[in-house]
Amino acid sequence: MTKIAIIYHSGYGHTEEIAKSVESGAASVAGVTTTLIPAENVGSYWQYLEEEADAIIFGSPTYMGSASAPFKAFMDASSKYWGKWRDKLAAGFTCSASHSGDKLATLQQLSIFAAQHQMIWVSLGLMPGNNSSKGSEDDLNRLGSFLGAMAQADADKGIEGITQSDKETAKILGARVAHASLRWNK
């Protein structure tokens, strides 16, 4: 079995909802098992990440143009395992209240973090949606990301404020990483 870990932080529940969608997409692929890990609870999972996980998908809300402080704490703590994730696949996702919200900066931060661990980054693999007069908020990849999955949730709403298209985009990222992991592990 190919094993995929999804490590995330969620301050208000939005990013956790996207993490669950990523997990759903990955778990939908035959031969793949998933483990959802809140970043603040990663302590008991270090050995699993080093020895068992074939891919690690990182998720953080975008706060002030960057990964959240609890996710950054996980990133900093991972330095003890530097080099131990070499050649594992990696991908990322983020969520913020604004349509842009500087989410690209967070995805860049996550991809650089993966590169520092000598991981192989898997992009979203979708063309951008909602970028023509015929587009809509219901399009997959409606926020037009290439590096990873982006989601937007209104600041004054709970998880019901996340669009179905953002959840479906996250599922596609999870499935893409799962398929890539199966090919990579052959």
Side-chain angles (χ1 to χ4, degrees):
M1 293 293 282
T2 294
K3 297 178 181 179
I4 298 177
I6 299 110
I7 301 174
Y8 71 94
H9 170 252
S10 187
Y12 300 97
H14 303 106
T15 307
E16 180 177 28
E17 191 71 12
I18 297 301
K20 289 175 182 177
S21 293
V22 169
E23 180 185 35
S24 173
S28 73
V29 176
V32 173
T33 62
T34 60
T35 304
L36 200 58
I37 305 168
E40 54 272 30
N41 297 337
V42 75
S44 61
Y45 290 96
W46 289 114
Q47 185 174 359
Y48 170 78
L49 295 172
E50 178 184 341
E51 297 174 6
E52 296 183 48
D54 298 296
I56 306 172
I57 304 173
F58 305 111
S60 173
T62 296
Y63 292 160
M64 305 306 291
S66 179
S68 64
F71 194 85
K72 183 68 170 86
F74 153 72
M75 291 170 67
D76 291 349
S78 77
S79 66
K80 295 175 193 165
Y81 301 91
W82 190 58
K84 305 288 186 183
W85 301 344
R86 181 181 184 82
D87 294 333
K88 292 180 185 285
L89 298 185
F93 61 94
T94 188
C95 184
S96 72
S98 298
H99 274 82
S100 170
D102 296 318
K103 287 186 275 292
L104 178 59
T106 300
L107 289 176
Q108 289 170 328
Q109 183 179 24
L110 298 179
S111 67
I112 290 169
F113 169 65
Q116 289 175 336
H117 277 287
Q118 298 105 45
M119 300 174 82
I120 311 296
W121 189 261
V122 178
S123 67
L124 180 57
L126 284 176
M127 294 298 289
N130 197 25
N131 65 353
S132 73
S133 61
K134 294 180 172 62
S136 80
E137 290 290 304
D138 296 326
D139 290 349
L140 291 174
N141 195 18
R142 71 185 179 102
L143 299 174
S145 179
F146 293 98
L147 195 55
M150 291 183 182
Q152 180 269 329
D154 294 334
D156 60 346
K157 290 185 179 178
I159 61 172
E160 74 278 359
I162 302 170
T163 66
Q164 190 59 36
S165 61
D166 287 351
K167 291 178 188 179
E168 292 300 318
T169 300
K171 285 180 185 178
I172 288 170
L173 176 67
R176 180 171 165 87
V177 172
H179 286 293
S181 294
L182 289 170
R183 287 192 308 272
W184 187 250
N185 288 332
K186 279 188 176 179

